[in-house]
Amino acid sequence: MSVTVVGSIAFDAVKTPFGTRERMLGGSAVHFALAASFFDAVHIVGPVGDDFGEPEYAVLHDRGVDTDAVEHVPGGKTFFWRGEYGWDLNNRETLDTQLNVFADFDPKLSDAARAADVLFLANIQPELQQRVRAECRDARFVALDSMNYWIESARDALIKTVSMVDCLMLNDAELRELTREPNLVRAARQIREWGPRVVVAKQGEYGAAMVTEEGFFALPAFPLETVVDPTGAGDCFAGGFVGYVAAHPDSELSHELLCRAMAYGTALASFSVEEFGTERVARLTTEEISERVSELQKLTQFAEKPIALKG
Amino acid sequence: MSVTVVGSIAFDAVKTPFGTRERMLGGSAVHFALAASFFDAVHIVGPVGDDFGEPEYAVLHDRGVDTDAVEHVPGGKTFFWRGEYGWDLNNRETLDTQLNVFADFDPKLSDAARAADVLFLANIQPELQQRVRAECRDARFVALDSMNYWIESARDALIKTVSMVDCLMLNDAELRELTREPNLVRAARQIREWGPRVVVAKQGEYGAAMVTEEGFFALPAFPLETVVDPTGAGDCFAGGFVGYVAAHPDSELSHELLCRAMAYGTALASFSVEEFGTERVARLTTEEISERVSELQKLTQFAEKPIALKG
């Protein structure tokens, strides 16, 4: 079986307190694809320009990602983003956005991409997400990301898109903004009433929370002494989470399985931020992932023990 | 054995999106004492004025709190705070602070308070905290809170106080400010180099994280559909955490025991925010606490299962 991701392919320029990169491979579809590639075959769908060359394809091919549905727009330039992070990495400022070929993106899926059983709709225009979702008729699990721009400029279309998927993954501030509900538990309930059975709130350095029919689950971010570049962490989280689901084609999507998916998403996101852009995930090993998930389990578990409380 | 808490006793006026209270019992020592009273005998040390009467004492006495070291300042008025919370409860604005009798607070411990084996130094002037700490010679576990005001106006004195205690509990932004280190893992390491073997970062709606010699541990806040008033949640967390330690006088303070203390702190904080001020914790039952800790365990645990990752 396989996963298809539709989203941006980009060059990023970033400055963090730990250094700068003037031009590094990025984009939500790229970060997702590399993370998900540890779990299943991945098809990436997105547009690139003439500046996207062999070195960039090589990063994807080295992880076995199928790039047949990467659309090369002749004469075009690849989406470019420049940003800078503040001292605690929690605030970032966008200094430049050049949509370039991404401005007229009209996803064209290959047969293989269309036949995937799992689909991740990264942050693109909601109507395009709807069309791709409809095209992937056989997808048994579809997860969706979006951003404040679409919540503010196309809320109705976005809510319609939300109603067509199984899982919504947003930053918690975006979940609040979309539902107009400040309480996360209530926001998740509203989302579930719109359609998705799974709601994931990405909480940056605080980790992630999930709500399913069976209830709530939360994990902290993996504690790291050095966070170099948060760019792409949310997409790597999605790649680990959705990838884990894709790796279990014959299992019921139980709450328990999705809790483990949260753990793998958390692990992949934690590696992503250790270095710039895709650098760390591109040379990650399966052993490192398994070890981190084990460590994460240890640092989130406590054993109950009876205690005589004073009434 | 018993716990002593030194800190503020107050009347609070709050406005939240869910209602208002013009005058409710509050103060860090009060919230802490009520929460800790479920675990051990509690002595509360703090000043009150003539406006502090039988109804207020009754709330403390009903939970068995020893008020012998509550100092009644004749002709004085009790510390008063007025604040308002924004729609998502994460931002609060202080509208009025009247220190009143708290301005000249000079802690006078009773013999029983001085003999306690566990001590919580709530947020007061760092030199006063040092003096109380030195007075409680037999305390086997001393935990400390503070706030940005002291970090900014008395950093050296505060660091000296920190060096005299076993456990520092601060909001994570305050930990960063105190250590001038944006990374929480590094900030905790700096604190531990100053003296405390346990560092707890309170993270509001995201829960709390802890660092000990044995490593990192984190728990999310308990998910609630209705959060009415966050005032005092951090002190209730401290009361649950420190109270749990106090309830184990003969146990080594292992990482495992402190992880359970985090769970009880999280549970107490979650009840505190369900209603205004001390209202919910004042009528809490031991069964409710135990049940919430069990629920918390369920919604933070995942079972590992081997998976064949793709290298």
Side-chain angles (χ1 to χ4, degrees), chain A residues 18 36-41 62-63 87-90 172 176-177 180-186 189 203 205-206 216-227 243-244 247-248 255-256 259-260 263-264 285-287 289-290 293-311, chain B residues 18 36-41 62-63 87-90 172 176-177 180-186 189 203 205-206 216-227 243-244 247-248 255-256 259-260 263-264 285-287 289-290 293-311:
Chain A
F18 301 95
S37 72
F38 289 92
F39 301 88
D40 204 349
D62 283 353
R63 285 291 324 148
W87 83 299
D88 68 355
L89 299 170
N90 286 327
D172 59 350
R176 292 185 164 110
E177 192 179 354
R180 296 171 180 166
E181 170 54 69
N183 179 284
L184 204 60
V185 178
R186 289 177 193 235
R189 196 205 297 149
Q203 301 170 321
E205 66 160 331
Y206 298 110
F216 182 94
F217 179 73
L219 282 177
F222 190 85
L224 294 170
E225 286 215 13
T226 306
V227 176
Y244 189 85
H248 293 82
H255 183 78
E256 206 190 318
C259 290
R260 281 195 289 277
Y264 281 87
T285 68
T286 59
E287 292 75 19
I289 297 172
S290 301
V293 169
S294 291
E295 287 178 60
L296 181 66
Q297 193 193 37
K298 282 189 201 87
L299 52 86
T300 56
Q301 286 208 337
F302 66 94
E304 268 194 276
K305 240 184 173 177
I307 174 177
L309 295 167
K310 294 159 65 83
Chain B
F18 300 94
S37 72
F38 289 93
F39 301 88
D40 204 350
D62 284 353
R63 284 293 322 148
W87 82 300
D88 68 356
L89 298 171
N90 286 326
D172 60 349
R176 293 187 163 107
E177 193 179 353
R180 296 170 179 167
E181 171 53 71
N183 179 286
L184 203 60
V185 179
R186 289 178 193 234
R189 196 202 301 146
Q203 301 170 321
E205 66 159 330
Y206 299 110
F216 181 95
F217 179 72
L219 283 177
F222 190 85
L224 294 170
E225 286 215 15
T226 305
V227 176
Y244 189 86
H248 294 81
H255 182 80
E256 205 189 321
C259 291
R260 280 194 291 277
Y264 280 87
T285 67
T286 59
E287 292 74 21
I289 297 173
S290 301
V293 169
S294 291
E295 286 178 60
L296 182 65
Q297 192 192 39
K298 283 190 199 87
L299 51 86
T300 57
Q301 287 208 337
F302 66 93
E304 268 194 277
K305 239 182 172 178
I307 174 177
L309 295 167
K310 295 159 64 84

Side-chain angles (χ1 to χ4, degrees), chain A residues 116-156:
Chain A
D117 71 323
V118 171
L119 172 64
F120 181 63
L121 299 164
N123 166 40
I124 60 172
Q125 205 238 327
E127 267 103 1
L128 293 181
Q129 293 177 318
Q130 289 172 27
R131 193 167 61 60
V132 173
R133 198 278 160 261
E135 231 181 292
C136 294
R137 260 179 241 146
D138 299 334
R140 67 180 170 93
F141 185 80
V142 181
L144 175 77
D145 192 7
S146 190
M147 69 181 291
N148 54 351
Y149 177 78
W150 302 116
I151 297 171
E152 287 151 25
S153 64
R155 183 168 183 264
D156 291 345

Side-chain angles (χ1 to χ4, degrees), chain B residues 147-160:
Chain B
M147 70 181 291
N148 55 350
Y149 177 79
W150 302 116
I151 297 170
E152 286 150 25
S153 65
R155 184 168 182 264
D156 291 345
L158 179 56
I159 290 174
K160 190 180 168 202

Side-chain angles (χ1 to χ4, degrees), chain A residues 15-277:
Chain A
K15 184 174 176 186
T16 86
F18 301 95
T20 57
R21 288 289 187 279
E22 270 306 306
R23 185 180 185 268
M24 64 189 194
L25 179 60
S28 56
V30 168
H31 287 290
F32 177 95
L34 293 176
S37 72
F38 289 92
F39 301 88
D40 204 349
V42 181
H43 319 286
I44 182 170
V45 183
V48 299
D50 292 340
D51 50 352
F52 198 86
E54 270 320 304
E56 287 76 36
Y57 278 110
V59 173
L60 294 163
H61 292 158
D62 283 353
R63 285 291 324 148
V65 175
D66 164 27
T67 59
D68 283 358
V70 170
E71 183 187 1
H72 174 204
V73 181
K77 273 186 75 181
T78 303
F79 179 35
F80 176 79
W81 176 79
R82 180 186 293 277
E84 183 172 342
Y85 291 84
W87 83 299
D88 68 355
L89 299 170
N90 286 327
N91 293 306
R92 86 173 183 195
E93 195 185 351
T94 291
L95 301 173
D96 191 11
T97 304
Q98 298 171 17
L99 290 177
N100 298 330
V101 298
F102 199 58
D104 302 312
F105 178 41
D106 184 26
K108 292 168 196 68
L109 277 62
S110 62
D111 289 344
R114 197 178 298 112
D117 71 323
V118 171
L119 172 64
F120 181 63
L121 299 164
N123 166 40
I124 60 172
Q125 205 238 327
E127 267 103 1
L128 293 181
Q129 293 177 318
Q130 289 172 27
R131 193 167 61 60
V132 173
R133 198 278 160 261
E135 231 181 292
C136 294
R137 260 179 241 146
D138 299 334
R140 67 180 170 93
F141 185 80
V142 181
L144 175 77
D145 192 7
S146 190
M147 69 181 291
N148 54 351
Y149 177 78
W150 302 116
I151 297 171
E152 287 151 25
S153 64
R155 183 168 183 264
D156 291 345
L158 178 55
I159 291 173
K160 190 180 168 201
T161 314
V162 168
S163 75
M164 298 167 71
V165 304
D166 305 285
C167 172
L168 178 63
M169 314 182 82
L170 288 181
N171 296 329
D172 59 350
E174 291 165 348
L175 273 177
R176 292 185 164 110
E177 192 179 354
L178 175 61
T179 58
R180 296 171 180 166
E181 170 54 69
N183 179 284
L184 204 60
V185 178
R186 289 177 193 235
R189 196 205 297 149
Q190 173 63 75
I191 299 289
R192 296 187 69 252
E193 280 171 13
W194 286 337
R197 53 190 156 140
V198 184
V199 180
V200 175
K202 296 180 285 182
Q203 301 170 321
E205 66 160 331
Y206 298 110
M210 174 177 75
V211 177
T212 73
E213 189 178 2
E214 275 179 68
F216 182 94
F217 179 73
L219 282 177
F222 190 85
L224 294 170
E225 286 215 13
T226 306
V227 176
V228 167
D229 173 21
T231 313
D235 299 306
C236 284
F237 178 92
F241 182 95
V242 175
Y244 189 85
V245 169
H248 293 82
D250 303 319
S251 308
E252 193 210 347
L253 286 186
S254 65
H255 183 78
E256 206 190 318
L257 185 145
L258 293 168
C259 290
R260 281 195 289 277
M262 289 276 286
Y264 281 87
T266 300
L268 267 297
S270 73
F271 286 114
S272 166
V273 302
E274 287 182 349
E275 297 178 19
F276 280 96

